Amino acid sequence: MRAELHRSFLPRRLPAFCLGLVLLAASPARGEGPFVEAGDPWLRADVQRLADAGVLPGPVATWPLAWEAIREALREARDRDLDPATAAAVGRVGRRAEAETLRGTLRATVLARAAEAPRTIRTFLDSPREEGELGAALSWMGQGVALRLAGRAVTDADDDDTWRADGSYLALALGNWTLSGSVLDRHWGPGWQSSLIYSANARPIPAIALDRRFTDAFESRWLSWLGPWDASFVWGFLEGSRAVPDARLFTGRIDFRPRPGLELGITGMGLWCGDGQPCGVGTFFEMVSGGGSGDETNPDGNNDFDRLLGLDGRWSLAGTGVPVALYAHVVGEDFGDGASRFLFPTALLGQFGVETWGSSARLGGWRAFLEWADTECDFALARAVDPRNDEGRPGCAYRNSTFRDGQTFKGRVFAHAADQDSSLATAGFLLDDVAGGAWSATFAYGLLNRRGADRSTVVPRETEYAELELVHRRRGRLGELTLGVGWAMLDDQVTGDRDEDPRAFAEWRVTLP
């Protein structure tokens, strides 16, 4: 039986209250509370292992997840006969869940980070963004309400924000939903290196969010075939220093598991409003319904809004005894001009991957993946599948002629980390060793901004890119220590300039009690 849902009180003027809290708060950590936050790839690997084994029945591709749903599923799995690797994952996730959902206890977190040449193209791992970071946080969780207040100071900030509010939230339980004012990292979709539509590459966007808590299936016979489902809706507030100052982000995602081993997701995203742009209710409904018009520079597209529509899926063969999963994510850019283009966008970006997992008595539980993404609108594979697309569209992805900054925040793209017109392949390996430590290794190679568009946030010209990174994390009595070393190469294909840089970072965090 499901635990009784917590009641909560809804204050008047909640959006303004939540936003005020966000602007006053700051946070350093993946942390305590109702959210399983993005940023920990080893925790994600454990969660995915449990989903593939059927321990977690709901979808797990919309981060942050809800701790309550995971805790309930783990309680129901206590009497199941599980293989040793899955049982070990149950133990690790269960201990984490118990620690991060303590009610009525004020918890404090301290974080210190240092980095030499922080990553430009970030992965799911929450590594340092700047050369130095120092922060502290206080968090508390009660009956139907959770709060985190903290502060972080950074050195040599790329965006000049020395004090940051990343990670803060006030969350209220409303039936089977959580309403929050937050500044949280999000990662939507099956990709491990990055998400094609909403990733944690950029700093988190201050937002009001509505997230589903439990993933129970519909009781209606017309919709029950969808299976367990999850949903998240985000109203984000973008910065003032952009082509359309103070634009708004509205994005929503629904994912579901119609069959064990099959997870499907639909994501819609739109930029609208801001200085000089219409912000009325009618304009909002026009945006979400696919309306709008083009202009003389893009007559077939839409320039009243900047919208994306994403479809993704992951198919696991674990139920057949084969530890392999295939996944894909396809995103249509600048769709609109009526329902037909809303449903069938033609400016396509693509991401495809395969992953496998296993365990070793000598090493521990592991997961490996190979992933490729192409962020040129109507990239070569899309043109081969759809003969209507006769050529690519450089400079199209994550931008349009009105919202020229597009899907960026504080100077970084919050969609795929490689930004537009890039082709990137990534191989990764994750290990939870038998001694209690965690390891990860990634190698990425590709061409960035290969059409030379002038709006890339990564490189100004076509550039060959390679990056290797090795990370180790270990917990002890004095907290959690994470160390990373790596190497990156950028070879400008136009000027011939070649940069090779060693990279390293260290992170220490401790949470009390």
Side-chain angles (χ1 to χ4, degrees):
M1 294 292 292
R2 172 188 300 176
E4 181 181 357
L5 295 178
H6 304 303
R7 297 178 182 177
S8 62
F9 174 68
L10 180 61
R12 295 179 180 178
R13 300 180 180 177
L14 179 62
F17 179 76
C18 294
L19 179 59
L21 172 68
V22 166
L23 296 178
L24 292 173
S27 170
R30 305 178 302 269
E32 311 77 18
F35 302 110
V36 190
E37 296 180 47
D40 186 338
W42 301 282
L43 175 61
R44 183 183 176 188
D46 278 342
V47 167
Q48 190 64 69
R49 182 186 287 270
L50 298 182
D52 289 331
V55 174
L56 300 181
V60 293
T62 303
W63 291 75
L65 304 172
W67 271 123
E68 289 173 297
I70 291 178
R71 288 185 63 185
E72 179 182 286
L74 294 182
R75 284 195 296 266
E76 295 177 354
R78 288 173 180 172
D79 298 328
R80 294 184 55 174
D81 184 18
L82 302 173
D83 64 85
T86 303
V90 168
R92 287 190 295 266
V93 176
R95 289 189 293 272
R96 182 79 173 266
E98 293 297 327
E100 298 200 0
T101 56
L102 290 175
R103 286 182 170 83
T105 301
L106 187 65
R107 307 186 76 196
T109 299
V110 176
L111 171 74
R113 287 171 154 181
E116 172 63 30
R119 287 192 71 126
T120 301
I121 298 179
R122 295 171 60 82
T123 66
F124 187 85
L125 174 68
D126 179 22
S127 58
R129 295 182 181 275
E130 313 295 348
E131 293 183 355
E133 303 178 16
L134 182 64
L138 290 176
S139 59
W140 180 85
M141 187 173 183
Q143 192 79 354
V145 61
L147 171 69
R148 188 198 296 163
L149 299 174
R152 179 186 299 187
V154 304
T155 61
D156 299 323
D158 288 340
D159 56 12
D160 297 325
D161 286 348
T162 301
W163 298 93
R164 297 184 171 179
D166 304 352
S168 301
Y169 60 77
L170 169 66
L172 303 172
L174 303 175
N176 196 30
W177 295 86
T178 297
L179 178 66
S180 64
S182 64
V183 194
L184 292 178
D185 280 328
R186 300 182 185 274
H187 182 100
W188 289 1
W192 282 88
Q193 196 281 333
S194 191
S195 167
L196 206 60
I197 197 167
Y198 203 171
S199 75
N201 181 63
R203 288 178 50 203
I205 299 168
I208 297 172
L210 186 66
D211 299 284
R212 201 161 189 247
R213 295 167 66 195
F214 294 95
T215 59
D216 295 358
F218 288 103
E219 295 182 359
S220 165
R221 62 174 180 168
W222 304 108
L223 296 174
S224 59
W225 64 271
L226 292 172
W229 62 283
D230 198 6
S232 181
F233 302 94
V234 177
W235 182 281
F237 301 84
L238 301 179
E239 74 274 34
S241 56
R242 49 193 299 125
V244 178
D246 301 315
R248 299 291 183 258
L249 167 73
F250 181 76
T251 183
R253 174 176 171 84
I254 297 175
D255 56 338
F256 50 96
R257 298 186 73 177
R259 298 183 61 84
L262 177 63
E263 182 169 345
L264 304 173
I266 303 172
T267 305
M269 175 178 287
L271 301 182
W272 74 298
C273 197
D275 289 358
Q277 298 297 310
C279 298
V281 175
T283 304
F284 174 79
F285 281 104
E286 185 179 33
M287 177 188 68
V288 299
S289 66
S293 61
D295 62 16
E296 64 276 7
T297 64
N298 188 18
D300 296 325
N302 176 77
N303 301 283
D304 300 326
F305 319 105
D306 187 8
R307 296 179 292 199
L308 291 83
L309 177 67
L311 305 174
D312 61 84
R314 183 182 182 275
W315 179 36
S316 171
L317 302 178
T320 66
V322 180
V324 172
L326 306 173
Y327 59 88
H329 197 168
V330 176
V331 169
E333 167 68 86
D334 281 341
F335 57 91
D337 294 335
S340 62
R341 287 187 60 83
F342 175 73
L343 294 174
F344 304 104
T346 57
L348 299 181
L349 323 175
Q351 180 183 46
F352 308 91
V354 58
E355 56 186 298
T356 185
W357 59 94
S359 63
S360 165
R362 296 182 60 185
L363 295 177
W366 58 268
R367 181 171 295 265
F369 67 89
L370 181 62
E371 180 176 304
W372 170 67
D374 196 309
T375 60
E376 180 182 3
C377 290
D378 293 336
F379 65 105
L381 180 58
R383 295 197 299 273
V385 173
D386 186 350
R388 296 176 301 169
N389 304 336
D390 55 0
E391 61 182 9
R393 293 170 57 183
C396 154
Y398 309 136
R399 311 289 194 280
N400 79 354
S401 60
T402 299
F403 294 88
R404 295 190 299 276
D405 296 304
Q407 278 71 32
T408 68
F409 181 67
K410 300 290 186 178
R412 285 179 178 261
V413 65
F414 56 82
H416 197 281
D419 209 341
Q420 59 183 208
D421 299 336
S422 298
S423 177
L424 183 65
T426 306
F429 181 81
L430 296 162
L431 172 69
D432 275 293
D433 67 38
V434 294
W439 299 82
S440 75
T442 57
F443 176 71
Y445 175 79
L447 287 175
L448 309 177
N449 193 20
R450 65 185 188 273
R451 306 307 181 199
D454 61 1
R455 293 187 289 187
S456 171
T457 59
V458 182
V459 291
R461 292 170 292 275
E462 180 182 5
T463 300
E464 182 183 8
Y465 163 79
E467 183 152 6
L468 176 66
E469 184 176 67
L470 177 66
V471 180
H472 176 57
R473 185 185 71 187
R474 184 165 295 276
R475 293 189 174 98
R477 294 181 179 180
L478 298 180
E480 177 184 285
L481 179 65
T482 305
L483 302 174
V485 294
W487 163 86
M489 181 273 291
L490 293 171
D491 189 350
D492 191 312
Q493 301 298 286
V494 177
T495 66
D497 294 337
R498 180 185 177 98
D499 293 326
E500 295 189 41
D501 296 311
R503 292 183 170 175
F505 73 86
E507 174 190 300
W508 172 78
R509 80 174 69 219
V510 61
T511 299
L512 298 172

